[in-house]
Amino acid sequence: MTALDLSSPVAVVGTGTMGQGIAQVALVAGHPVRLYDAAPGRAREAAAAIGARLDRLVEKERLTAAGRDAARARLLPVEELTGLARCALVVEAVLERLDVKQELFRALEDVVPDDCLLATNTSSLSVTAIGGALRLPGRFVGLHFFNPAPLLPLVEVVSGSATDVTSATRAYETARAWGKTPVACADTPGFIVNRVARPFYAEAFAVYESQGADPATIDAVLRESGGFRMGPFELTDLIGQDVNESVTHSVWRSFFQDARFTPSLAQRRLVESGRLGRKTGRGWYDHADGAERPEPHTADPAEPPAYVIAEGGLGPASELLALIREAGLEVRERDEDGGTRLVLPGGGKLVLADGRTTAEFRDVVHFDLALDYRGATRIALSHARHTSPAAVAEATGLFQALGKKVSVIGDVPGMIVARTVARIVDLAVEAVARGVATEDDVDTAMRLGVNYPLGPFEWSRRLGRGWAGELLDELHGIDPSGRCAPSLALHQYACAADEREDTP
C-alpha cells in the first residue's frame, strides 16, 4: 500500500494551531487541502494565517515564490462538511473530548466516500474508542503530530483495535511522503512518547517534593549531566502546566491508576493557583519581563584529593578514571570483590547512584549518572547528614578538578539522572513487550518527539541490560508503594542479555 497520490485532496477539521500546522504540512507536500471549522469564518481566518506563514517561508528561502503561489491555489476553506465530500484523507484536530470527536466522525461518514482514510490527531484519547462509533472503523487511524507540526518530524501512526493494516500502512507511507518520520504503534494510553516520557516529569517532581533539590538545580543537572535539551520544570512551563498535568492524569486513569504514573501534588497546586507557565507569566519560574532566573545550586571551590583508589571498573562511569588521570591526579587501582567505587584519601567513598540512600552507609557520597562524563559540565553529589564534611569536600574537589560544576543535593536514592533514565528504560521495555511498538520506533519517537539525547534502548545498551532493573529494585525496596517497581518485562529483558541454558 502506497502513500496517497498528490492529486488526492486532504481535509483538516479544526483550525487551531495544530490543525493549521497539519494543513500546512499537507499543502507544502503538494496536496489540495480543504479546511473546515465548526465556528463560522474560522476556516477563512486559518487559510489567511497559513498563507502568511508561507510568505515567511519564502522570506527565509525555504520555499520559492512560485511554490507559495501554487500552494495558496490548492488551499480552500469550506463552511460545510459537505465541502469535504471528495477528500481521500480527513485529519481531525478538534477539542480533546471523546463525544465531540465521535460525533464529528459519524457525520463525516455520511459525507466522504467509503475509501476515504479518517484520522485523529488525539494525544490522549483512545483511537479505538473514537473509531468504535464508526460504521467502517477499519479505515480509522491515529495520526499524532507534534507541535509545531511543520517543524517537528515525528508522527505517531496509531492503529486502533479495529484498524485495518492497509489503512495504517497508507497513513504511515503518506506521513513519510510528507517528509515526516513516522513510527507505528498500537493504541495504548499515551501512545509511545506520552507514555514513556512520564518519568521525566514524575521523577523530577518527586525529588522536588522530597526537598531533595530545587527546580533550577534539577533542571540544570538533567541538562548539563543528563544531556537533555530542557529540564522538566522549564519544559512544563513551556508546554503549560495544565496541559502537561492533563496528559499525566489521562495516562494514569487509563492505566487504572497504576502507581508508576501517579500525578504530582506539587504540580496540581501550581495548576490550582493559575500558575500555568509562560502563558500566564508564572509557573515553576517567574516569566515576567525582567524577572531573574534562579541559579542552580553550585558548590563553592574545594581542594581536589591528591589521589583516589579505584575499586572495580566503575561500570557506566568507567570513563572517569581516564579523566582523573588527565587532570593530573593519581589513580591507584585495587581489586575488590563487588567493588565499583572510588575511595578518597580521607576514607570516604564515591559510589555511582544505585538506588540506595547514602544514609545506609558511613561516609559514602553518591554521584549521579551522566550521558557523557567527558562532555558533562555539571555533576550532582548526594550525601547523608552524618556524612563527614571532609568526604563531601574531597568528592566536590575531585569533580571540580575535572572541570565540572558540582551540585550537592539531598539524600535522594537514585539521585536525578539515574532514576529518571532507569524508569524511562523500564516503561520503554514494557511497551515493546506488550506489542506497542518496536525498539527502534521507541528510540526514534523519544529522540524526535521530545528531543531526548538517546532513546531508552540506546541508553540501556550503553549502561547494560540489567542496570535499570537493579536500580529500580533498590528504589522499590526503599519505597514499596509501587511507583518505582520494575516491570516483569524489564526483568525478562535483563535475563535475555545472555543465554541461560541451566535448568532450575
Side-chain angles (χ1 to χ4, degrees):
M1 182 63 67
T2 58
L4 292 176
D5 187 271
L6 289 181
S7 63
S8 302
V10 172
V12 177
V13 178
T15 58
T17 301
M18 183 58 79
Q20 290 182 31
I22 296 170
Q24 180 180 329
V25 170
L27 193 64
V28 171
H31 287 272
V33 174
R34 308 290 180 259
L35 287 176
Y36 171 78
D37 198 292
R42 193 72 59 82
R44 288 194 302 274
E45 293 173 2
I50 294 170
R53 281 199 288 272
L54 295 177
D55 288 339
R56 288 195 290 274
L57 290 179
V58 173
E59 293 170 3
K60 296 177 181 179
E61 299 184 346
R62 295 178 183 173
L63 184 68
T64 65
R68 174 200 58 197
D69 295 342
R72 279 180 168 167
R74 294 193 301 271
L75 181 60
L76 178 65
V78 300
E79 294 298 324
E80 302 291 338
L81 276 182
T82 53
L84 311 181
R86 296 182 180 180
C87 290
L89 166 64
V90 180
V91 183
E92 163 272 316
V94 302
L95 188 66
E96 282 286 273
R97 274 181 44 186
L98 180 61
D99 59 337
V100 172
K101 293 179 187 291
Q102 287 179 330
E103 182 179 354
L104 169 64
F105 282 109
R106 279 195 294 261
L108 280 168
E109 277 201 307
D110 293 334
V111 172
V112 299
D114 286 355
D115 61 351
C116 176
L117 191 63
L118 299 178
T120 175
N121 184 59
T122 185
S123 61
S124 60
L125 298 176
S126 165
V127 171
T128 301
I130 300 170
L134 300 183
R135 174 174 53 84
L136 297 173
R139 59 167 165 174
F140 187 73
V141 298
L143 275 178
H144 181 214
F145 290 78
F146 288 74
N147 195 27
L151 297 180
L152 294 186
L154 184 70
V155 177
E156 292 178 316
V157 181
V158 186
S159 293
S161 297
T163 303
D164 293 334
V165 173
T166 53
S167 298
T169 302
R170 171 155 284 184
Y172 184 98
E173 294 299 334
T174 297
R176 185 158 63 176
W178 290 357
K180 296 301 180 181
T181 303
V183 292
C185 65
D187 185 20
T188 185
F191 310 140
I192 299 173
V193 172
N194 280 331
R195 172 178 178 158
V196 177
R198 290 351 293 161
F200 181 69
Y201 312 107
E203 294 312 304
F205 297 162
V207 171
Y208 169 73
E209 289 174 342
S210 69
Q211 302 293 296
D214 61 278
T217 299
I218 296 169
D219 277 351
V221 170
L222 282 162
R223 287 195 316 268
E224 299 171 38
S225 183
F228 292 92
R229 186 74 59 86
M230 297 180 73
F233 294 92
E234 57 189 342
L235 180 55
T236 53
D237 265 4
L238 175 63
I239 295 169
Q241 298 303 328
D242 52 340
V243 174
N244 180 262
E245 191 204 31
S246 176
V247 173
T248 298
H249 270 270
S250 175
V251 173
W252 177 61
R253 288 192 302 267
S254 297
F255 278 113
F256 308 105
Q257 301 185 1
D258 186 328
R260 294 176 300 165
F261 300 100
T262 302
S264 162
L265 180 59
Q267 189 179 39
R268 174 91 291 261
R269 292 292 179 258
L270 209 62
V271 172
E272 289 174 338
S273 68
R275 296 183 174 187
L276 306 182
R278 291 189 183 183
K279 61 187 177 183
T280 61
R282 186 70 182 267
W284 297 109
Y285 299 110
D286 186 349
H287 298 280
D289 291 341
E292 290 187 14
R293 182 71 173 264
E295 292 293 326
H297 169 76
T298 301
D300 292 332
E303 288 294 321
Y307 66 89
V308 295
I309 301 171
E311 295 183 345
L314 295 186
S318 58
E319 187 179 22
L320 283 175
L321 297 179
L323 297 180
I324 293 169
R325 291 188 177 98
E326 290 169 17
L329 303 178
E330 181 185 357
V331 177
R332 303 174 185 176
E333 299 194 39
R334 182 167 68 194
D335 290 336
E336 185 76 15
D337 290 341
T340 53
R341 55 183 173 260
L342 292 174
V343 181
L344 300 166
K349 298 177 180 64
L350 258 175
V351 179
L352 177 63
D354 57 8
R356 296 179 291 179
T357 65
T358 51
E360 301 174 49
F361 307 98
R362 179 187 177 90
D363 279 356
V364 163
V365 177
H366 278 119
F367 64 96
D368 209 350
L369 181 69
L371 171 69
D372 167 17
Y373 283 98
R374 183 175 295 276
T377 58
R378 183 179 299 272
I379 294 293
L381 302 180
S382 173
H383 67 89
R385 292 181 180 179
H386 59 67
T387 305
S388 72
V392 177
E394 285 187 323
T396 299
L398 173 64
F399 281 104
Q400 289 174 339
L402 306 185
K404 317 298 182 188
K405 296 177 182 178
V406 174
S407 290
V408 181
I409 68 172
D411 186 10
V412 177
M415 302 196 67
I416 297 171
V417 180
R419 67 192 283 169
T420 299
V421 170
R423 289 213 53 224
I424 288 172
V425 168
D426 181 33
L427 293 189
V429 168
E430 185 183 50
V432 170
R434 293 185 177 226
V436 173
T438 65
E439 291 185 9
D440 286 345
D441 276 356
V442 169
D443 277 353
T444 297
M446 301 314 292
R447 281 189 284 100
L448 298 184
V450 277
N451 286 316
Y452 283 5
L454 294 175
F457 291 95
E458 292 172 316
W459 270 109
S460 184
R461 286 189 289 272
R462 178 179 290 197
L463 299 170
R465 279 178 176 250
W467 176 84
E470 291 169 4
L471 188 143
L472 293 177
D473 275 333
E474 294 288 352
L475 284 174
H476 183 56
I478 295 170
D479 174 16
S481 65
R483 67 177 306 277
C484 292
S487 65
L488 171 62
L490 186 63
H491 172 72
Q492 294 168 328
Y493 174 78
C495 290
D498 56 351
E499 295 183 2
R500 298 171 183 265
E501 298 179 353
D502 294 340
T503 58

